[in-house]
């Protein structure tokens, strides 16, 4: 297990587009395991590979109320449909100490690969849909602060 350093806003890597994953071997598994350990330590809701400085189309999102409930691993994800809207407070481990209100789809359907390269489809709504959209944006160099209103110091 290894905790990786989280890249902070201002680092150019966060603005780059991440690359498709073609390796489903040990190196990618190690990255995913390290991302999980890093997310547990930070007690966050999701983490994209670019946030630990790796430009690969990978993110993890909590599968429950907290990271200790486990995570879903998304590799090469595509949001294939979305519906509705929701507006709520977001923060980001790469933008520490801040929060803002972001409007997102209320429901999304996502196609993605798991760590072995098998394809899955998931329908998510509410908080998990929000978290997926937030992390998905990271893969294209977008931060929530680009979309947020009322960005201010976090209550947390
Ligand atoms: Ni983020």
């Amino acid at each position: 297990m290894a905790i990786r350093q989280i890249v902070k806003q201002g680092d150019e890597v966060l603005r780059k587009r991440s690359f498709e994953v073609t390796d489903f071997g040990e190196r990618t598994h190690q990255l995913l395991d390290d991302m999980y350990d890093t997310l547990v330590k930070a007690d966050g809701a999701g983490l994209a590979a670019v946030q630990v400085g790796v430009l690969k189309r990978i993110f993890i999102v909590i599968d429950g109320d907290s990271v200790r409930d486990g995570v879903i691993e998304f590799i090469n994800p595509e949001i294939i449909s979305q519906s509705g809207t929701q507006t709520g407070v977001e923060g980001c481990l790469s933008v520490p100490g801040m929060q803002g209100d972001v409007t997102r789809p209320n429901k999304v359907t996502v196609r993605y690969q798991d760590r072995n390269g098998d394809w899955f489809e998931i329908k998510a709504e509410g908080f998990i849909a929000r978290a997926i959209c937030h992390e998905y944006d990271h893969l294209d160099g977008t931060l929530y602060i680009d979309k947020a209103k009322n960005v201010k110091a976090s209550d947390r």
Side-chain angles (χ1 to χ4, degrees):
M1 107 173 227
I3 312 268
R4 301 209 188 184
Q5 188 160 1
I6 295 177
V7 174
K8 301 299 192 308
Q9 185 197 5
D11 190 318
E12 273 302 300
V13 76
L14 289 172
R15 293 307 189 172
K16 297 197 162 127
R17 186 177 189 280
S18 292
F19 297 98
E20 304 291 326
V21 175
T22 54
D23 162 29
F24 294 90
E26 185 52 40
R27 200 175 162 83
T28 293
H29 295 180
Q30 188 65 58
L31 171 63
L32 284 158
D33 292 345
D34 289 355
M35 285 172 64
Y36 178 73
D37 293 337
T38 304
L39 189 61
V40 168
K41 170 112 190 301
D43 193 24
L47 187 70
V50 64
Q51 292 182 275
V52 294
V54 178
L55 278 172
K56 289 185 177 170
R57 299 188 78 79
I58 295 175
F59 63 74
I60 58 176
V61 165
I62 57 170
D63 189 17
D65 294 329
S66 110
V67 66
R68 294 185 188 281
D69 296 326
V71 293
I72 309 173
E73 298 174 341
F74 293 87
I75 302 175
N76 297 327
E78 281 178 74
I79 295 177
I80 56 174
S81 72
Q82 58 183 62
S83 63
T85 60
Q86 57 171 321
T87 300
V89 179
E90 286 183 27
C92 178
L93 296 173
S94 293
V95 190
M98 304 297 288
Q99 64 176 48
D101 301 328
V102 187
T103 299
R104 302 278 190 189
N106 190 49
K107 292 185 181 178
V108 292
T109 303
V110 187
R111 212 170 106 75
Y112 65 98
Q113 284 171 286
D114 73 358
R115 61 166 62 201
N116 299 313
D118 294 323
W119 284 96
F120 292 87
E121 206 174 286
I122 189 176
K123 290 180 195 300
E125 66 179 294
F127 179 80
I128 301 296
R130 164 181 300 285
I132 288 171
C133 291
H134 175 117
E135 299 309 329
Y136 189 83
D137 276 352
H138 274 298
L139 305 186
D140 293 322
T142 300
L143 297 175
Y144 85 94
I145 47 173
D146 303 342
K147 301 178 167 183
K149 292 181 175 157
N150 306 318
V151 176
K152 60 177 188 180
S154 168
D155 306 331
R156 252 184 91 177

